[in-house]
Amino acid sequence: MTTTAKQQSKVITHLLNGTNTTMKSIIPVAQNVSKPQLLTEPPIVEYGVLIGITGDIKGKIMLSGDPAVFSGIGGVMFGMAVEGEMLVSFSGELGNMLAGGIATIIVNEGLTTDITAPTVLQGSTKISGYKKAIQLTAGFENLGELDVMFLLDS
């Protein structure tokens, strides 16, 4: 699907609104989400989750943050410490839940989309290979912050 600037703006609005709605529905912690910003430099991720988006929207959704924030969110959601291999598994699943929720909202807006399996990133990784990057920062009360990035191919 070839999109005009107006259509792309509408798609981005749906992605951003879907992110806010989905995070509030899956993460039971008071949260504050920043206004979106356009990234001008490729992000460098120390720990995060990368999920592909296919269909009418092509690109990636990436969560990035300190492992302690992912662990804290897991602790709140499951009532127990999330560490080691369980932390890696949970981080991927958190990304999957977020991307799946966003994809569902996008489909309800009349766009065809799907997501790929999550990839957990560990260690310093510079992300490139996209045309436009938009970032939100979600702050979670007493836990810290996660960056949510949309790395769009068009």
Side-chain angles (χ1 to χ4, degrees):
M1 171 179 170
T2 303
T3 59
T4 65
K6 185 176 179 180
Q7 290 169 321
Q8 188 175 37
S9 178
K10 188 174 180 180
V11 165
I12 290 169
T13 298
H14 291 315
L15 284 171
L16 298 173
N17 290 338
T19 301
N20 287 332
T21 300
T22 301
M23 278 200 297
K24 287 178 180 162
S25 72
I26 64 174
I27 303 173
V29 172
Q31 51 194 267
N32 183 21
V33 179
S34 72
K35 291 184 178 183
Q37 63 180 353
L38 194 60
L39 296 180
T40 57
E41 296 290 324
I44 297 175
V45 177
E46 296 295 327
Y47 188 87
V49 180
L50 186 69
I51 298 172
I53 309 169
T54 62
D56 291 338
I57 303 169
K58 292 178 179 39
K60 296 153 211 64
I61 297 173
M62 186 169 61
L63 295 178
S64 173
D66 191 284
V69 177
F70 284 89
S71 179
I73 291 170
V76 168
M77 291 176 72
F78 300 115
M80 59 183 264
V82 180
E83 301 170 337
E85 285 302 310
M86 185 185 269
L87 175 60
V88 173
S89 178
F90 169 74
S91 299
E93 188 54 33
L94 180 63
N96 204 34
M97 288 187 289
L98 179 64
I102 294 168
T104 299
I105 289 169
I106 295 299
V107 166
N108 290 335
E109 296 298 331
L111 297 169
T112 302
T113 192
D114 202 357
I115 60 172
T116 65
T119 299
V120 177
L121 306 170
Q122 299 178 72
S124 186
T125 306
K126 184 176 183 178
I127 306 296
S128 60
Y130 53 86
K131 290 189 179 176
K132 182 186 288 185
I134 301 165
Q135 176 179 311
L136 303 169
T137 299
F140 299 97
E141 187 174 278
N142 300 320
L143 298 176
E145 296 179 339
L146 287 181
D147 292 322
V148 181
M149 292 171 240
F150 296 97
L151 310 172
L152 303 175
D153 293 345
S154 59

